[in-house]
Amino acid sequence: QIQDDDVALKSLPAQPFLALRHTCRDLSETFALVSDIGQTVPKQIQPKSLGRFAAVIHSELYEVNNLDLELGFLLNHDLNLTVPLSHGLVMAVRELPPMATAVTTVRIGGPEKNIPCYSAIGTWAETHQYQLTGPGREVFLVPPKPGHESEMVAEIQFPVAEFSA
């Protein structure tokens, strides 16, 4: 159970993001794409340029199938490049916009742990008179590894604004 004090507000700067937006049919396709990105990108980019693995969730939150995701690596500085993946997919760099105010919590474990975390964010926002203003992100403090999804640790981030009276 996630408590109110497990949810925090913070400000997040704009950041370069090497990513690919793709609609994944199901979780197995999502994990296969994550694995492809995780194996391909570090071979083509200097480790000092790569930040954490991240996902932007463009789908409605509780969809399990046909997830509209943007997957990739936050970058420590701007790069002008593309990275080809298998199946003709190509990653490109774009700027993730800043979040002047973000509501965040940390999820330990795989996607099966999402509902309590996303519910805690929604409950916190409602209780404190905030509204979600854009797509959520998951930034992996411990990245997903095939077969070890339960060991993932992700910070879930949503841009918010106070309700105006």
Side-chain angles (χ1 to χ4, degrees), residues 124-135:
W124 185 95
E126 196 173 300
T127 302
H128 294 86
Q129 303 291 300
Y130 280 82
Q131 60 187 350
L132 306 182
T133 59

Side-chain angles (χ1 to χ4, degrees), residues 14-88:
Q15 195 163 10
F17 187 39
L18 172 66
L20 164 78
R21 186 166 176 176
H22 184 73
T23 300
C24 297
R25 285 186 313 276
D26 53 32
L27 278 177
S28 64
E29 183 183 351
T30 303
F31 283 129
L33 184 55
V34 166
S35 177
D36 190 6
I37 291 168
Q39 291 173 24
T40 304
V41 171
K43 293 176 186 165
Q44 298 189 38
I45 306 223
Q46 295 287 334
K48 66 179 189 242
S49 297
L50 290 179
R52 298 192 186 278
F53 188 83
V56 177
I57 300 110
H58 295 283
S59 293
E60 291 299 316
L61 285 184
Y62 296 110
E63 291 180 17
V64 178
N65 299 318
N66 299 314
L67 288 165
D68 181 2
L69 299 172
E70 199 170 1
L71 301 167
F73 285 92
L74 298 171
L75 298 174
N76 295 324
H77 50 86
D78 203 12
L79 295 172
N80 184 12
L81 55 80
T82 58
V83 175
L85 299 171
S86 57
H87 309 295

